[in-house]
Amino acid sequence: MAEKFFWADAIADQIIKQKGTKKEYVCASGITPSGQVHIGNFREVITTDMVVRALRDKGKKVRFIYSWDDFDRFRKVPAGVNKDYEKYLGMPISDIPSPFDDSMSYAEFNEEKFENSIGKVWIEPEFIYQNEMNKKCAYADLIKIALEKKDKIKEILNKFRKEPLEKDWWPIMIYCGACKKDLTKITSVDGYKISYECECGHSETFDIRKKGIVSIRWRIDWPLRWRYEHVDFEPGGIDHSVYGGSFTTSKEISKEVFDFEPPVYQFYEWIGIKGGQAFSSSAGNALMLSEVEEIYEPAVLRYLFVGTKPRSAFNISFDNDVISIYEKFDALEEKYFSGKCNPMEKRMYEMSVVNVPKKLPKRTGFRHLASLVQIGGADKIKEERVEKVRNWIEKYAGDDMKFEVQKKVSGKFNVKEKKALAELKKVLEEKEYKSDKELFDKFYEICEKVGIGNTEFFDAAYRAIIGKEKGPRLASLILMVGQKEIIKLLDTI
Ligand SMILES: [Zn+2]
């Protein structure tokens, strides 16, 4: 089957082969919302989204879960946040206020932003908040197993550690029932009952089925949740994927401790930025999904990720390459509706647009819009793309893409140039041109008649119209601005 060429379809096949026929498959994704959620995290969720869609396209029922690890501890005060936040160190990030909006918790603020952003590109997983799961003691039975098999877990983890884990190490941590911090020490474990003491002086014995103050350590937490949700597929960043990394140990713990066959795994590479030096909004140079969404339409944004296998690194362009990316997407769409796509291209298009339109949608080319926007001619165009173009021109476009139509011609022109511009005016007065091509052909006639080189002619025309030597395609620029307007302008020489 030719469709196997598309990477997500290949992964879907592998899941079915490895996990067998199931009533429902579970695909998972998730992160700790400790700081701003960046584009690398987006790669994780869109990788899962594509695999979910590939499975569904094969007629399978799929549950797509996204887990927020928001019961993790607040580890350090990020740059730009008040030093005062040190008082929250060691508390769950779900239980401290956001420094940016005190109606929300630290975790909620980041979660909400990200959830809104991915919704815009049609990614709609079922969100699971680990602080809620832990607070309602959902994992008590599995935690009990982890506690009973603590030595086995230690043995697995120690294989990859230089320093073995300490004697009194436990696979869990406790948030103190009084001060809420994790500055606690477990003193005894008996079935579901745990005793601990805290640095604050508080100590107690509690039942893990009744009091949700247990936080599971990451390398145990991951396989425990595979087992709990019966996960069949999950991608992971390259940092988790190296030998001895958390995937290696989680796989083993999943089998040896929780008696669960680990999910099919796909690692994904990081994403870089090309252009867009103007970034300033995000601390620590982390590129936010919302910033990408400012200049890429949802389908084109998805297309960026569709076209690159998760294991390959790539850069998201903010420079003039944005134009060619839009052009490639438009070309793919046209090809799709002309019925000429090969199976791979067909899948790429379907995965990009998600809801395939009935017929070829009307889209204005990005390059053309970039000119229209700058001469105020895009106001009547009701396309989402107009706003993206505006944002791009304002923030990232190269100088060669920016221009402003002159109110009055300024600068000096030599005799030949003046003659050529007078000819141009005449040509524009003669008739109304219906196409760029029709007008464009006239330029060469002008050059021949006046005896001026093509380059010199274009140079003079650009200087007269937009006051710089280069600009958008001349014929198209003139027709966009309007012949009458250009005639008026040339009159001012
Ligand atoms: Zn305490």
Side-chain angles (χ1 to χ4, degrees), residues 206-243:
F206 72 101
D207 188 317
I208 57 172
R209 290 167 300 184
K210 288 177 188 147
K211 197 164 183 176
I213 53 172
V214 176
S215 166
I216 308 151
R217 291 182 195 272
W218 163 242
R219 288 194 182 223
I220 297 91
D221 198 26
W222 201 14
L224 179 146
R225 280 191 269 128
W226 290 343
R227 164 70 181 74
Y228 185 85
E229 305 287 0
H230 295 272
V231 175
D232 297 301
F233 172 75
E234 180 158 0
I238 194 152
D239 53 337
H240 294 304
S241 313
V242 293
Y243 181 70

Side-chain angles (χ1 to χ4, degrees), residues 71 133-135 137-150 153 170-174 186 189 191-192 194 206 208-209 211-217 220-221 224 227-228 257-258:
F71 204 49
M133 296 297 281
N134 283 287
K135 284 173 186 164
C137 309
Y139 306 126
D141 291 333
L142 292 172
I143 291 171
K144 184 166 166 276
I145 293 175
L147 293 171
E148 284 162 1
K149 296 188 179 174
K150 171 180 92 153
I153 295 173
W170 290 95
I172 57 169
M173 290 177 295
I174 310 294
I186 293 171
V189 172
Y192 289 103
I194 294 182
F206 72 101
I208 57 172
R209 290 167 300 184
K211 197 164 183 176
I213 53 172
V214 176
S215 166
I216 308 151
R217 291 182 195 272
I220 297 91
D221 198 26
L224 179 146
R227 164 70 181 74
Y228 185 85
V257 176
F258 299 116

Side-chain angles (χ1 to χ4, degrees), residues 176 179 198 200:
C176 171
C179 75
C198 177
C200 75

Side-chain angles (χ1 to χ4, degrees), residues 176-181 183-184 196 198-202:
C176 171
C179 75
K180 287 193 162 189
K181 297 194 175 191
L183 308 171
T184 55
Y196 70 90
C198 177
E199 279 181 17
C200 75
H202 179 75

Side-chain angles (χ1 to χ4, degrees), residues 175-325:
Y175 285 116
C176 171
C179 75
K180 287 193 162 189
K181 297 194 175 191
D182 63 353
L183 308 171
T184 55
K185 198 170 171 289
I186 293 171
T187 49
S188 78
V189 172
D190 177 16
Y192 289 103
K193 291 220 159 56
I194 294 182
S195 305
Y196 70 90
E197 33 184 63
C198 177
E199 279 181 17
C200 75
H202 179 75
S203 68
E204 68 175 320
T205 300
F206 72 101
D207 188 317
I208 57 172
R209 290 167 300 184
K210 288 177 188 147
K211 197 164 183 176
I213 53 172
V214 176
S215 166
I216 308 151
R217 291 182 195 272
W218 163 242
R219 288 194 182 223
I220 297 91
D221 198 26
W222 201 14
L224 179 146
R225 280 191 269 128
W226 290 343
R227 164 70 181 74
Y228 185 85
E229 305 287 0
H230 295 272
V231 175
D232 297 301
F233 172 75
E234 180 158 0
I238 194 152
D239 53 337
H240 294 304
S241 313
V242 293
Y243 181 70
S246 51
F247 184 66
T248 311
T249 53
S250 292
K251 219 163 54 175
E252 221 174 313
I253 291 171
S254 184
K255 282 189 227 168
E256 302 286 326
V257 176
F258 299 116
D259 194 23
F260 180 73
E261 194 54 41
V264 171
Y265 182 73
Q266 175 62 57
F267 88 86
Y268 57 89
E269 264 283 1
W270 297 130
I271 290 169
I273 301 171
K274 184 166 175 289
Q277 280 80 359
F279 274 109
S280 56
S281 58
S282 42
N285 282 329
L287 173 61
M288 305 287 290
L289 176 58
S290 54
E291 288 169 309
V292 185
E293 286 175 335
E294 275 178 10
I295 62 163
Y296 285 103
E297 302 175 340
V300 183
L301 201 163
R302 291 180 62 94
Y303 169 70
L304 292 173
F305 289 83
V306 164
T308 314
K309 284 183 183 156
R311 66 183 61 189
S312 306
F314 75 102
N315 291 323
I316 295 190
S317 295
F318 285 81
D319 57 11
N320 289 357
D321 280 357
V322 172
I323 301 172
S324 58
I325 291 163

Side-chain angles (χ1 to χ4, degrees), residues 374-375 402-407 462 464-468:
Q374 295 181 80
I375 59 171
K402 289 190 205 165
F403 65 87
E404 203 177 326
V405 178
Q406 306 283 292
K407 300 241 163 11
Y462 282 124
I465 299 170
I466 57 175
K468 54 198 276 190

